[in-house]
Amino acid sequence: MSKRPSIAVIGAGPAGLAAAEVLSAGGCAVTVHDRMPSAGRKFLMAGRGGLNLTHSEPFEAFIGRYGGAAAALRPMLEAFPPPALIAWTNELGQETFVGSSGRVFPKAMKASPLLRAWLARLNAQGVTFRLRRDWQGWTEAGALRFHGPDGEETTMPDATVLALGGASWPRLGSDGSWISLLTKRNVLLAPLRAANVGFDVAWSAVFRARFAGQPLKNAEFRFGDRTVRGEAVITQYGIEGGAIYALSSALRETIAFDGNAELQIDLRPGQSEAQLIQRLQKPRAGDSAANYLRKALSLSPLEINLLREVHGAAFVPDAARLAHQVKHVVLRLAGTQRIDRAISTAGGVAFAALDESLMLKALPGVYAVGEMLDWEAPTGGYLLQACFATGRFAAEAILSRIAP
């Protein structure tokens, strides 16, 4: 009997585990290495918000969420599209449902049951886990080097899958330390940058103290030619949330170039300025400005005070001016939060450094998958979907090359 091909997977997140599943099912001897004491730590963290696995929108709209990386990711996402991820989840005994926004979640609304079932499958397929192993690169002979509990360890697999994540969750293992290791091997990299991240706003002390932590709901957020309707959250440092994350790439790049960016918010996107003027022309009957706006436009205390915060002395009870201000709240974003506060990262291994199978051109037999590749997407299921898809795609390519 011929020896089974040995595969080292470095990184026990969704991309690495997806690769390990395909490779072990294909007859390879797979070992998953990770510096953390347990697998899937970032996956579990993602599950705290309900584990948004993917999205149910039409495929062309879905792939468009990946922006400039859409063309590079298309083969992987076509090979393992959202319906395939949903079917895979159901196979592991975790039924899914589609939320009102089109996002797909497991009915359990958490990651732990799915991860347990997944790890049980991997164990049944013979996958070996070597945890608390910190990857240190390669020896001069080309063996993988790890620092483990008992010192240095080396291994010489037939192929290697790098699934090391970005740099947005250092305490969960994704700290970007692999950048220096690949730079030494002449792998083309793009600088890591914060994605799906909050932005700094110079709130007044009074506004910050009163409203930090409160959501701004059902608003429309505009920047450049992009418009997103959704929710954001006021924070001590500024603003964050799903609608902000959808615009974060353009906002981040503008701030990097210009030093700031102006985000426009429409507090009543379902109503025209003329309709607001009509409602604001009702008699005030001695109401304060706040009560007047609350009754006429159903503005919340947060929305009313945001108008005051932004428009200052110009905030006066004049129907035409108020209607315009409600439709045009302009926030000056003065900075981007640090990369270790981001949900994900942009940058990493450039697609130009990879062949069509996700193998590194500078390192034959070494594949890169998941968030360490140079792509970004908003929250909403797009992040996990691409991690699963790239991990499985590289694994299928390995099987086609060295299948037992």
Side-chain angles (χ1 to χ4, degrees):
M1 181 180 295
S2 61
K3 179 185 175 183
R4 292 191 298 160
S6 63
I7 313 295
V9 176
I10 307 177
L17 295 181
E21 180 178 354
V22 171
L23 289 162
S24 57
C28 296
V30 180
T31 302
V32 176
H33 308 260
D34 197 279
R35 63 157 52 129
M36 304 305 288
S38 59
R41 290 209 164 190
K42 191 173 178 182
F43 187 64
L44 290 173
M45 178 62 75
R48 289 191 177 184
L51 193 62
N52 183 190
L53 286 166
T54 188
H55 203 286
S56 62
E57 66 187 340
F59 184 77
E60 288 305 318
F62 183 92
I63 200 168
R65 308 297 183 185
Y66 297 91
L73 288 171
R74 179 179 286 274
M76 300 94 197
L77 293 169
E78 287 180 339
F80 192 72
L85 178 52
I86 293 169
W88 173 85
T89 305
N90 291 335
E91 289 170 5
L92 286 174
Q94 299 300 308
E95 294 184 30
T96 60
F97 73 95
V98 180
S100 58
S101 64
R103 299 182 179 197
V104 178
F105 302 88
K107 288 185 177 180
M109 287 299 288
K110 52 186 178 181
S112 51
L114 179 59
L115 181 59
R116 283 196 299 270
W118 194 6
L119 292 176
R121 172 181 285 183
L122 294 174
N123 286 322
Q125 290 180 185
V127 174
T128 300
F129 286 86
R130 295 189 66 76
L131 304 173
R132 295 188 175 89
R133 265 69 180 182
D134 191 9
W135 181 52
Q136 302 290 304
W138 292 268
T139 67
E140 291 186 5
L144 295 169
R145 294 177 55 233
F146 296 91
H147 181 76
D150 299 320
E152 182 166 304
E153 303 174 2
T154 61
T155 183
M156 186 79 84
D158 294 308
T160 300
V161 178
L162 302 179
L164 295 157
S168 59
W169 294 86
R171 64 189 180 89
L172 299 179
S174 296
D175 64 0
S177 58
W178 51 266
I179 289 285
S180 62
L181 299 176
L182 295 189
T183 299
K184 293 175 183 177
R185 296 284 174 151
N186 299 314
V187 174
L188 180 63
L189 304 172
L192 291 178
R193 306 179 303 283
N196 292 304
V197 69
F199 295 89
D200 302 332
V201 180
W203 302 127
S204 67
V206 172
F207 183 84
R208 181 187 299 112
R210 184 174 177 189
F211 295 106
Q214 292 195 24
L216 184 62
K217 297 182 177 181
N218 302 316
E220 190 171 84
F221 301 83
R222 294 193 293 272
F223 184 73
D225 60 356
R226 289 288 313 281
T227 299
V228 177
R229 188 176 295 193
E231 182 174 316
V233 178
I234 304 300
T235 67
Q236 289 285 340
Y237 63 78
I239 192 166
E240 64 182 25
I244 303 301
Y245 301 153
L247 300 171
S248 65
S249 175
L251 290 169
R252 179 193 67 227
E253 298 306 315
T254 298
I255 291 171
F257 188 79
D258 295 334
N260 63 77
E262 291 191 344
L263 173 70
Q264 186 167 297
I265 306 173
D266 182 349
L267 297 178
R268 288 295 176 267
Q271 301 171 53
S272 68
E273 211 163 302
Q275 289 174 315
L276 296 182
I277 291 172
Q278 184 177 11
R279 296 179 64 182
L280 287 166
Q281 286 175 335
K282 297 177 181 178
R284 290 184 61 186
D287 283 330
S288 66
N291 278 334
Y292 172 55
L293 289 170
R294 178 178 59 81
K295 292 178 180 179
L297 302 182
S298 300
L299 292 179
S300 68
L302 168 57
E303 292 170 323
I304 293 167
N305 281 274
L306 182 61
L307 289 170
R308 286 196 174 110
E309 183 80 2
V310 170
H311 296 295
F315 177 67
V316 294
D318 171 80
R321 180 178 287 181
L322 276 174
H324 182 78
Q325 291 174 345
V326 168
K327 300 285 288 183
H328 299 85
V329 177
V330 179
L331 288 186
R332 181 178 290 271
L333 308 184
T336 306
Q337 284 287 287
R338 301 188 315 267
I339 197 168
D340 61 349
R341 295 183 62 91
I343 290 177
S344 59
T345 52
V349 177
F351 281 99
L354 303 163
D355 71 8
E356 66 280 357
S357 68
L358 299 181
M359 185 172 72
L360 291 166
K361 295 175 182 177
L363 296 167
V366 179
Y367 298 73
V369 300
E371 195 182 339
M372 68 184 295
L373 303 182
D374 183 16
W375 61 273
E376 63 179 307
T379 57
Y382 311 102
L383 299 172
L384 279 175
Q385 179 71 52
C387 286
F388 276 92
T390 54
R392 295 180 66 94
F393 191 86
E396 294 287 1
I398 293 170
L399 287 178
S400 68
R401 184 170 68 87
I402 60 170

